[in-house]
Amino acid sequence: MNNINLQLYSFGFECNLSLLDKIKCAGEMGYAGVEFARGYEELPVEQVKKALDDAGVKAVSAHVALDFMEQDLPYLAKLGVKFVACPMAPFNTAEEAKELAEDLNKFGQMAKQYGITIGYHNHTGEFYQDQGKYLMDYLIENTDPETVAFEIDCGWASAAGINPVEYINQHAGRIAGIHIKENGGVIGADKPQSRHEAPNHPKFELDEDGKPIIPPEFKKMMEEREKLNVPQGSGIVDWKAVKAAADAQREGVIYVVEREASYGGKGRIDCLKEDIAWLKENL
């Protein structure tokens, strides 16, 4: 497998590289393309295009929240992006899934003029059930297959207890992208928030230096989740079967490495180098 792309979010929040430097680094590591997580807002499109050309990588896709979708589509089209996915959105019932589907359909029609397909990327909460059915199923079933497709994050799906291969087969034709996120265990589906309630972000007290004081139980939970990000090829996902299923159901499926955390005390870039090396050798 050679056509492997990198979600730029994978560099992590502690990375000091600029967006242009991340593009260059992705090319140096051997990635064929990148998936943006915004960060280009203040940059002229010509500058980003030059960085892509210089690095020898393509702009294959992007993650854009619904609030920024309309304003970002023209910019991303100029970069050559063909798939723009909402990275996450709150919804916790069948009805709310249908409401979100309406939003995706609206942006799908809007993106059509740019030759862009709109998508949605899952975490674990999309596999929470309402009326005996996954929320993700309601979302897929109520979106227009002509303009809306999906990016299955196999790491989060398997963490929720879903077999990614079976899920891809169940929704054949609708899966335009695969997030290659290695996962070492099952934690179940998080209960998602309602799209009609204010976001319930955790609030922490600050120490005398103004840094957040992380409660032990929250820190433990985050550490356990980071441990799920094991080295590529050592987790619970059968990547050969995933690729076979994805390629069989739709042409031009994009494969994007996304890493949430490092492992073994290594730096993030070293982990990303090992990720692509394993994929090129084994898929």
Side-chain angles (χ1 to χ4, degrees):
M1 183 179 186
N2 293 311
N3 196 22
I4 306 166
N5 308 292
L6 179 65
Q7 164 55 255
L8 295 180
Y9 168 85
S10 301
F11 282 98
F13 294 115
E14 297 180 359
C15 178
N16 294 321
L17 295 178
S18 69
L19 177 73
L20 302 182
D21 288 336
K22 289 176 182 177
I23 292 171
K24 179 181 179 181
C25 187
E28 291 172 346
M29 288 189 285
Y31 288 94
V34 295
E35 181 175 80
F36 291 100
R38 300 199 84 224
Y40 44 69
E41 300 90 293
E42 304 299 325
L43 295 172
V45 69
E46 293 77 15
Q47 196 172 352
V48 179
K49 286 181 70 173
K50 184 177 186 305
L52 291 164
D53 291 340
D54 289 347
V57 301
K58 294 182 179 180
V60 297
S61 52
H63 276 191
V64 179
L66 296 179
D67 288 346
F68 302 109
M69 194 74 78
E70 184 172 359
Q71 71 183 57
D72 284 16
L73 284 173
Y75 185 102
L76 293 169
K78 292 176 182 177
L79 293 178
V81 169
K82 298 299 182 183
F83 183 65
V84 177
C86 172
M88 64 186 304
F91 64 106
N92 64 7
T93 65
E95 286 306 311
E96 290 190 8
K98 294 173 184 178
E99 291 172 10
L100 176 57
E102 289 182 10
D103 292 336
L104 294 175
N105 287 334
K106 178 186 71 175
F107 289 119
Q109 285 298 319
M110 191 180 298
K112 190 175 182 180
Q113 64 182 304
Y114 301 109
I116 292 174
T117 298
I118 291 299
Y120 185 86
H121 161 274
N122 66 277
H123 289 77
T124 65
E126 288 80 4
F127 297 103
Y128 194 80
Q129 293 193 13
D130 182 26
Q131 303 174 42
K133 194 171 180 177
Y134 296 128
L135 296 175
M136 189 73 164
D137 289 344
Y138 291 112
L139 192 60
I140 294 174
E141 292 168 3
N142 288 279
T143 46
D144 183 354
E146 296 297 320
T147 57
V148 180
F150 291 82
E151 183 174 56
I152 298 300
D153 187 310
C154 295
W156 285 127
S158 60
I162 300 299
N163 182 323
V165 175
E166 292 179 0
Y167 201 76
I168 291 167
N169 288 334
Q170 288 169 9
H171 296 285
R174 301 301 309 277
I175 313 303
I178 297 292
H179 258 197
I180 303 175
K181 178 184 291 162
E182 195 57 272
N183 168 45
V186 176
I187 58 174
D190 289 325
K191 184 177 181 179
Q193 295 182 345
S194 168
R195 75 195 315 254
H196 300 299
E197 296 177 358
N200 185 24
H201 299 307
K203 296 179 180 179
F204 305 124
E205 294 183 6
L206 303 179
D207 62 18
E208 56 187 22
D209 295 323
K211 296 182 179 180
I213 302 173
I214 309 298
E217 61 275 9
F218 187 87
K219 185 176 182 180
K220 181 179 180 181
M221 182 268 289
M222 294 302 296
E223 289 174 348
E224 290 300 317
R225 296 206 165 201
E226 287 188 356
K227 289 179 183 177
L228 295 175
N229 284 244
V230 294
Q232 187 66 47
S234 67
I236 66 174
V237 179
D238 184 341
W239 293 107
K240 289 184 179 180
V242 165
K243 188 174 187 305
D247 287 347
Q249 56 88 48
R250 186 179 175 118
E251 292 185 2
V253 174
I254 60 172
Y255 292 89
V256 184
V257 168
E258 183 181 56
R259 179 160 287 284
E260 300 277 346
S262 303
Y263 53 83
K266 297 181 179 181
R268 188 64 60 88
I269 291 176
D270 287 335
C271 293
L272 294 173
K273 288 179 180 178
E274 292 183 4
D275 287 340
I276 191 171
W278 188 91
L279 292 166
K280 285 188 173 183
E281 182 177 346
N282 291 279
L283 293 188

